[in-house]
């Protein structure tokens, strides 16, 4: 667990898994190994595993304590989920809830769950298995989702194709809809505590980033606009998981330039510990400066 502050907000990063995940040539359809050789400072053992050559990913959520509410952003992988095409995470068993408790958060304490998007690795702990049924993990929470994102995955679900994302919609999204705990909002939704959505489409149709502001301090929960530091050397590298690779490229390039110019603090969805940092210019490209 890692803790940081955004003004008066207390932010905990709860990691469910961190380690080698996928080969870069698989994850990035446009991958060029020369970029790795030319940027050794961006590809050390914390970012590319020297044994397997796979990209090192962290799968984590953020807990934001605003003083008024306890908010969870992106609920990770989840236990007991059927993910046969993702064997690392198939029927997973992790101490995620105990780790939440170590941050002083019981499941009953979470007031809101905010979703940057609805991919399988960002919604898993929306629900847990109880007596053979998927029930909301956080019984008192409202689950905030972009309407455009929900509508897209609802269409995918109705189409019937068996993918991890469709399975996640069935076991981790629809159960909170059925209990009436979901709240579908516009892409520019603003929450009274000082958090708000900004549309960042491409990775998924309704993908958003989440801004946070307290006093004079600001930060952005980046979700999957950036998966790995290599994309700062090559912003044009979209991933096999992007629904619209060209739109994803445009969104990513725009936000990289904007955040570098402003010196914005970022909390990305998959960067390993210590996760929080800033994008800085480096010659004709960019680097990530961890805090």
């Amino acid at each position: 667990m890692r803790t940081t502050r955004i003004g008066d907000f207390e932010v905990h990063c709860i990691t469910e898994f961190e380690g080698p995940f996928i080969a870069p040539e698989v994850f990035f359809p446009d991958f060029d190994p020369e970029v790795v050789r030319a940027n050794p400072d961006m590809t050390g053992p914390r970012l590319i595993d020297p044994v397997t050559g796979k990209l090192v990913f962290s799968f984590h959520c953020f807990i934001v304590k605003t003083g008024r509410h306890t908010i969870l952003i992106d609920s990770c992988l989840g236990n007991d989920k059927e993910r046969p095409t993702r064997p690392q995470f198939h029927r997973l068993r992790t101490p995620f809830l105990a780790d939440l408790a170590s941050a002083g958060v019981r499941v009953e304490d979470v007031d809101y769950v905010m979703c940057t998007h609805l991919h399988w690795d960002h919604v898993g702990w929306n629900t847990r298995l109880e007596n053979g049924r998927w029930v909301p993990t956080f019984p008192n929470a409202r689950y905030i989702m972009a309407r455009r994102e929900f509508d897209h995955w609802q269409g995918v679900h109705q189409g019937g194709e068996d993918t991890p994302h469709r399975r996640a919609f069935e076991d981790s999204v629809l159960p909170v809809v059925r209990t009436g705990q979901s709240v579908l909002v516009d892409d520019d939704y603003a929450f009274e505590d000082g958090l708000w959505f900004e549309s960042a489409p491409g990775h998924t149709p309704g993908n958003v980033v989440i801004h946070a502001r307290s006093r004079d301090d600001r930060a952005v929960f980046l979700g999957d606009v950036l998966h790995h530091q290599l994309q700062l050397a090559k912003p044009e590298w979209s991933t096999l998981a992007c629904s619209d690779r060209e739109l994803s490229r445009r969104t990513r390039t725009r936000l990289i330039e904007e955040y570098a110019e402003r010196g914005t603090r970022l909390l990305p969805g998959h960067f390993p510990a210590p996760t929080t940092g800033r994008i800085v210019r480096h010659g004709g490209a960019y680097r990530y400066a961890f805090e």
Side-chain angles (χ1 to χ4, degrees):
M1 180 182 70
R2 303 180 295 282
T3 303
T4 188
R5 299 198 71 87
I6 303 169
D8 293 328
F9 296 171
E10 182 181 307
V11 182
H12 300 280
C13 181
I14 310 295
T15 300
E16 191 169 14
F17 171 88
E18 182 172 309
F21 173 56
I22 191 170
E25 65 270 19
V26 175
F27 194 60
F28 298 120
D30 298 320
F31 178 71
D32 177 359
E34 181 56 35
V35 174
V36 174
R37 289 191 288 269
N39 293 277
D41 57 321
M42 295 182 65
T43 57
R46 289 180 53 253
L47 300 177
I48 295 184
D49 180 60
V51 176
T52 65
K54 292 182 177 180
L55 303 172
V56 174
F57 270 34
S58 174
F59 295 82
H60 50 251
C61 79
F62 297 101
I63 295 288
V64 184
K65 297 181 179 180
T66 70
R68 298 180 61 191
H69 297 106
T70 297
I71 300 162
L72 186 150
I73 295 176
D74 285 352
S75 67
C76 291
L77 300 159
N79 280 353
D80 304 304
K81 306 290 178 166
E82 295 286 332
R83 305 287 184 260
T85 60
R86 301 290 187 273
Q88 276 178 290
F89 309 116
H90 182 54
R91 299 178 183 173
L92 201 61
R93 299 294 299 169
T94 73
F96 179 80
L97 296 183
D99 292 341
L100 275 186
S102 71
V105 178
R106 303 171 304 161
V107 294
E108 297 84 4
D109 297 333
V110 175
D111 300 300
Y112 296 92
V113 175
M114 302 181 81
C115 305
T116 61
H117 63 298
L118 301 182
H119 272 172
W120 63 277
D121 55 322
H122 290 257
V123 299
W125 275 105
N126 282 3
T127 61
R128 57 180 170 177
L129 196 60
E130 190 172 280
N131 298 321
R133 295 176 56 249
W134 295 111
V135 301
T137 302
F138 309 103
N140 301 319
R142 307 290 282 174
Y143 289 74
I144 312 297
M145 312 172 197
R147 182 179 293 105
R148 181 159 54 132
E149 180 76 353
F150 178 87
D151 289 346
H152 169 76
W153 292 112
Q154 185 176 49
V156 169
H157 180 260
Q158 291 169 348
E161 183 182 359
D162 188 14
T163 68
H165 303 317
R166 183 187 182 278
R167 285 176 179 258
F169 193 82
E170 175 64 45
D171 61 38
S172 303
V173 176
L174 287 181
V176 304
V177 174
R178 293 172 184 138
T179 60
Q181 290 173 246
S182 63
V183 180
L184 302 183
V185 300
D186 293 335
D187 293 354
D188 60 353
Y189 167 80
F191 184 60
E192 59 183 346
D193 281 36
L195 289 90
W196 68 96
F197 283 1
E198 178 190 355
S199 177
H203 181 58
T204 62
N207 191 62
V208 300
V209 298
I210 300 175
H211 293 257
R213 178 172 57 206
S214 174
R215 291 189 283 116
D216 294 328
D217 202 2
R218 293 181 60 166
V220 177
F221 297 90
L222 199 56
D224 282 3
V225 169
L226 280 171
H227 284 83
H228 194 272
Q229 279 198 320
L230 283 173
Q231 290 173 293
L232 293 172
K234 287 291 183 178
E236 61 267 34
W237 284 3
S238 293
T239 78
L240 60 80
C242 292
S243 61
D244 184 331
R245 291 174 187 166
E246 175 56 25
L247 181 56
S248 178
R249 179 195 65 78
R250 293 201 304 269
T251 295
R252 181 170 45 260
T253 301
R254 173 179 63 82
L255 291 180
I256 286 172
E257 292 172 353
E258 179 181 314
Y259 295 148
E261 180 69 25
R262 296 180 179 178
T264 304
R265 292 177 76 203
L266 301 174
L267 297 96
H270 291 292
F271 280 25
T275 305
T276 306
R278 290 175 167 83
I279 296 171
V280 296
R281 292 189 180 276
H282 184 88
Y286 300 91
R287 292 289 188 272
Y288 194 73
F290 286 100
E291 287 190 353

